[in-house]
Amino acid sequence: MAPRGPAAPLRAAKLLPPLLLLLLLPPCGRCPAARGCPPACICTSDLLSCSRRALRAVPLALPPGATSLDLSHNALAQLRDRWLAALPRLEALHAGHNHIQELSPHAFHNASRLRYLDLSSNHLRAVETHYFDALLSLEELLLYNNRIKRVDENAFARLSGLRKVYLSWNNLTTFPFRSVQGLGNYSLRTLDLSSNSLSSIPVQELAALPENIRNGLYLHNNPIRCSCQLYVMLQRWKRRGFSSVKDFFEEHTCKVSDDVPRSLIKFLKYNDMFENCSVESEEAPPVPFPVLVGQPLLLTCNTSLPPAATYMWISPHHEPIKHPGNSNRSVELYRNGSLRIAAAKPWHSGVYVGLAMNSPHNASRLCEVNVTVHYPKPDGETFSTGLTTLLGCIVSLLLVLIYLYLTPCRCLSCCKKPAPLSPPQECSAQSSILSTTPPATDAPNRKVSANKHVVFLEPVSETQNGKIRLALGEDFPDVKHPKVLQLKSDSESISSVFSDTPIVS
């Protein structure tokens, strides 16, 4: 009989099936990894989901390691002060489809790392200044499908990293466009104000906004009063390919009469009423400013400067230049708003935007200057490419003519070039050509047989007009053994005349 001892239960546990062991383990809610997870929520390593749980208040115990919290589709009416202190790593908060009407002054304190905030489909009536001023890292803000009638001018003043704001499907009648002027110089790319109750648009303020905001400024489906200024502005945006007009071209409406509430027309699609509105005068492009490398550069705005306290420039790399200077004095901003660059470099090229700062977070555009930094042309470059090419062609042609017609003719014995099939030509480039036909200077009516003997004069003592004259055998009756070449008749093959084999005399 086996002895019983402390090791017996362990041996018995090894014999239990694995499923039975799982049943004997403590519940997962008591595990150390799941401590702090609310009973109505689902927790993972860094995600916390409490969606669709009919919650009327945010659970008190929250796991501190969560980076994403989902409270959507509940019955939350408010968010208590500093409730996010328990989630120091939170980056995304989903609180849409609740009953939140307003936010307490400190609802989002202790959430400096929050980048994504969804408060859509709630009952918010306004966007106050204190709502989001503590969210310094916020990038996306979803406020669509609420009951918002008013947005404070400084509601987004401290959100320098804000990229996207969605305010569609609310009850906005006006919007402080000037408040987002500075945001566009940093990161703002989307501002959705579509499907509201905007009755008028400050066209001049919208034209002063940076291009990146105008590209993402959605104004369609609003009862804006029809005007030529509005029509011309949107047509210009369409020509420049702005997504805000191109993607929703047919949804842009305007109200023909204020007395008739439903007198809305799709004025960009049916533009017969605006035929007299001129859209030929495009917005003035940035002023060109060419400068050589190494030269000093001074940028000024030719417009009348407003009585502003300070000025600022935005570099082509979207960097603010608002200090009087730097350590090496390479870039200096004067008190009158002028910007001086001590020595221009190629990376200084681009569009500079001059701003007047009326307040720390409120700026108005003064001008844009397009700087082009280039290297000087070499001094020796006096001919254009076309003239140089023409001169090269003329010189080449002269060289060919010299080669063909001005090469001196030498003795025929040194030239072994074959004779052509055509009639004899004048001595030109290489050698004289033997032919059965005598020169034209001899008797014109003289007949020569096919077997006529031709003699070389050694040396040629007689020339005619600078040309070598061939003497016939009959012209030298006293010569006993002249050097005679027997030319083949026409019936024989003429190829031997052109061969390199020496001719037997």
Side-chain angles (χ1 to χ4, degrees):
M1 186 175 183
R4 294 181 178 271
L10 294 178
R11 289 194 299 268
K14 292 180 180 181
L15 299 177
L16 294 176
L19 181 59
L20 184 58
L21 288 175
L22 293 176
L23 294 176
L24 295 177
L25 290 175
C28 187
R30 300 180 183 177
C31 297
R35 288 179 181 176
C37 184
C41 303
I42 301 175
C43 303
T44 63
S45 58
D46 58 351
L47 302 179
L48 176 58
S49 177
C50 305
S51 178
R52 301 181 186 275
R53 300 293 180 177
L55 298 177
R56 296 183 177 273
V58 179
L60 296 177
L62 298 174
T67 60
S68 177
L69 174 59
D70 188 357
L71 295 172
S72 61
H73 296 276
N74 281 292
L76 301 178
Q78 63 178 359
L79 300 174
R80 61 181 184 273
D81 288 347
R82 305 182 186 276
W83 67 281
L84 291 175
L87 302 172
R89 299 174 54 189
L90 190 65
E91 297 181 1
L93 174 60
H94 304 264
H97 294 274
N98 279 282
H99 303 157
I100 302 174
Q101 297 185 7
E102 60 180 359
L103 299 173
S104 62
H106 303 287
F108 292 110
H109 280 227
N110 306 101
S112 59
R113 299 182 62 176
L114 192 66
R115 297 189 304 165
Y116 178 91
L117 177 58
D118 181 6
L119 291 173
S120 61
S121 300
N122 275 279
H123 299 164
L124 293 174
R125 304 177 185 275
V127 180
E128 304 288 349
T129 303
H130 64 269
Y131 278 4
F132 313 113
D133 58 355
L135 302 177
L136 302 181
S137 301
L138 192 63
E139 297 179 2
E140 295 189 33
L141 179 59
L142 281 64
L143 296 172
Y144 62 86
N145 196 24
N146 274 274
R147 302 173 183 176
I148 300 174
K149 294 183 178 180
R150 176 179 52 85
V151 176
D152 282 356
E153 185 173 356
N154 296 321
F156 312 120
R158 301 188 61 182
L159 308 181
S160 60
L162 194 60
R163 295 180 56 85
K164 299 179 181 180
V165 180
Y166 298 92
L167 281 163
S168 59
W169 293 102
N170 279 287
N171 299 324
L172 291 173
T173 57
T174 59
F175 185 83
F177 291 99
R178 190 177 301 177
S179 64
V180 299
Q181 174 83 42
L183 296 177
N185 298 321
Y186 295 100
S187 58
L188 188 61
R189 295 294 181 271
T190 301
L191 178 59
D192 188 359
L193 299 174
S194 62
S195 302
N196 275 278
S197 300
L198 299 175
S199 58
S200 62
I201 294 292
V203 177
Q204 298 299 329
E205 290 186 10
L206 267 61
L209 291 175
E211 182 173 331
N212 53 292
I213 292 185
R214 287 179 289 163
N215 182 59
L217 179 57
Y218 295 89
L219 299 171
H220 58 275
N221 198 18
N222 274 287
I224 307 172
R225 179 64 186 269
C226 296
S227 66
C228 273
Q229 289 184 334
L230 176 64
Y231 175 78
V232 170
M233 181 190 71
L234 294 180
Q235 285 289 354
R236 288 174 178 173
W237 290 9
K238 178 195 172 186
R239 285 187 178 185
R240 300 187 66 174
F242 287 173
S243 301
S244 55
V245 179
K246 182 179 63 176
D247 296 345
F248 298 92
F249 181 75
E250 296 186 1
E251 282 75 14
H252 281 81
T253 59
C254 69
K255 183 188 293 187
V256 178
S257 173
D258 292 334
D259 299 332
V260 183
R262 297 186 178 275
S263 60
L264 295 177
I265 62 171
K266 297 180 179 180
F267 67 110
L268 293 183
K269 182 179 180 181
Y270 306 101
N271 53 7
D272 297 341
M273 295 177 55
F274 305 94
E275 292 180 351
N276 297 328
C277 297
S278 175
V279 295
E280 296 179 357
S281 58
E282 295 286 343
E283 297 178 6
V287 179
F289 202 106
V291 63
L292 296 178
V293 173
Q295 289 186 350
L297 176 63
L298 182 65
L299 303 181
T300 58
C301 292
N302 297 327
T303 58
S304 57
L305 299 178
T310 58
Y311 300 95
M312 181 176 70
W313 287 81
I314 305 297
S315 72
H317 305 288
H318 308 290
E319 299 172 350
I321 305 174
K322 54 184 178 180
H323 297 291
N326 51 16
S327 57
N328 55 6
R329 310 288 291 180
S330 62
V331 179
E332 187 174 2
L333 181 62
Y334 296 128
R335 297 196 176 190
N336 62 353
S338 301
L339 179 66
R340 182 181 183 274
I341 299 176
K345 302 296 181 183
W347 54 84
H348 289 143
S349 300
V351 178
Y352 290 79
V353 181
L355 301 175
M357 305 294 295
N358 297 323
S359 64
H361 302 286
N362 189 10
S364 59
R365 186 178 65 174
L366 297 178
C367 65
E368 293 183 1
V369 182
N370 188 7
V371 175
T372 303
V373 182
H374 56 86
Y375 290 94
K377 295 183 178 180
D379 297 335
E381 188 177 352
T382 57
F383 295 99
S384 63
T385 304
L387 182 59
T388 305
T389 305
L390 179 60
L391 291 177
C393 293
I394 295 175
V395 172
S396 301
L397 182 60
L398 291 176
L399 292 176
V400 171
L401 294 176
I402 291 172
Y403 178 78
L404 292 177
Y405 295 102
L406 297 184
T407 303
C409 297
R410 299 178 183 177
C411 61
L412 190 61
S413 60
C414 301
C415 303
K416 297 182 180 180
K417 297 295 181 179
L421 297 175
S422 61
Q425 303 293 332
E426 296 180 353
C427 177
S428 59
Q430 297 294 335
S431 62
S432 301
I433 303 175
L434 300 179
S435 175
T436 59
T437 306
T441 55
D442 295 341
N445 300 324
R446 185 177 181 179
K447 297 181 181 181
V448 182
S449 63
N451 295 324
K452 180 67 69 174
H453 293 171
V454 182
V455 181
F456 286 105
L457 296 181
E458 293 184 342
V460 179
S461 59
E462 187 178 358
T463 60
Q464 182 179 5
N465 297 331
K467 303 174 183 177
I468 298 176
R469 189 175 72 86
L470 301 179
L472 299 176
E474 60 187 15
D475 294 334
F476 301 92
D478 298 334
V479 179
K480 295 181 178 180
H481 300 287
K483 296 182 179 180
V484 181
L485 289 177
Q486 178 68 35
L487 298 181
K488 294 184 179 291
S489 61
D490 297 337
S491 59
E492 295 175 343
S493 174
I494 200 168
S495 61
S496 61
V497 179
F498 295 93
S499 65
D500 293 336
T501 307
I503 303 174
V504 180
S505 61

